Amino acid sequence: MIALLLVFSLLPVPVMAKRAPDPAFKTLDGQTHKLSALHGQIVVVNFWATWCGPCQEELPRLWQMAASYAGQPVSFVFISIDRPKDRGKIPAALARMHVDFESWVGADTDTLGRFGLGDIVPGTLVLDEKGESVARVMGEAREDDVRKPVDWLLGGKQGDPPTALTKRY
């Protein structure tokens, strides 16, 4: 009995997928978007803010990764938690970081909590094609934190599953 328990304790823990929340977000020009519209694709969701130092380091890295997955069923979504009065700073911040993407707005620290990312930015999660969370990164994501789960999903979930939660702060 003890040997059997030991064997089971050595097996990799399967990823426990959890459907991500699906609130509505807006673009700076007022268009409404939901993550559920991206079902059928792998989605990397990054929450950031213009005033966040680690976000300034992370966003260019994520933007380069997004470009490397061009032509594959992978989408990157960037969602700012800047307050409405500060959203005018978003275009200048993106230009300063030399990234060219549309940022959604309308999130706050409560939104991060609902996604299982704590209450500070940056926070990143990787969703499978059904909109279920397979990996979350609290804090500044490293390249492997994102590539491993994305590549695992692209590879048909072969091999060891990705780490479900990584804390980088």
Side-chain angles (χ1 to χ4, degrees), residues 81-111:
I81 69 162
D82 282 283
R83 291 179 284 191
K85 70 179 184 128
D86 295 323
R87 290 180 185 160
K89 298 175 184 178
I90 291 173
L94 297 177
R96 188 173 52 254
M97 290 181 276
H98 305 288
V99 295
D100 184 24
F101 58 76
E102 176 179 77
S103 182
W104 297 358
V105 295
D108 56 23
T109 56
D110 289 339
T111 309

Side-chain angles (χ1 to χ4, degrees), residues 48-130:
W48 71 286
T50 57
W51 44 262
C52 165
C55 299
Q56 313 287 318
E57 299 293 322
E58 179 185 64
L59 286 175
R61 181 172 44 252
L62 291 174
W63 178 240
Q64 288 177 346
M65 287 192 323
S68 76
Y69 286 109
Q72 297 185 61
V74 180
S75 291
F76 281 67
V77 175
F78 300 92
I79 305 172
S80 171
I81 69 162
D82 282 283
R83 291 179 284 191
K85 70 179 184 128
D86 295 323
R87 290 180 185 160
K89 298 175 184 178
I90 291 173
L94 297 177
R96 188 173 52 254
M97 290 181 276
H98 305 288
V99 295
D100 184 24
F101 58 76
E102 176 179 77
S103 182
W104 297 358
V105 295
D108 56 23
T109 56
D110 289 339
T111 309
L112 286 164
R114 287 193 307 273
F115 278 87
L117 293 169
D119 61 0
I120 62 170
V121 286
T124 304
L125 77 148
V126 178
L127 304 176
D128 68 11
E129 65 283 344
K130 296 176 186 173

Side-chain angles (χ1 to χ4, degrees), residues 139-161:
E140 184 180 341
R142 297 179 183 160
E143 189 163 341
D144 276 355
D145 296 336
V146 176
R147 282 204 187 274
K148 283 182 180 179
V150 169
D151 291 346
W152 180 74
L153 289 167
L154 285 172
K157 300 182 181 178
Q158 298 296 311
D160 292 334

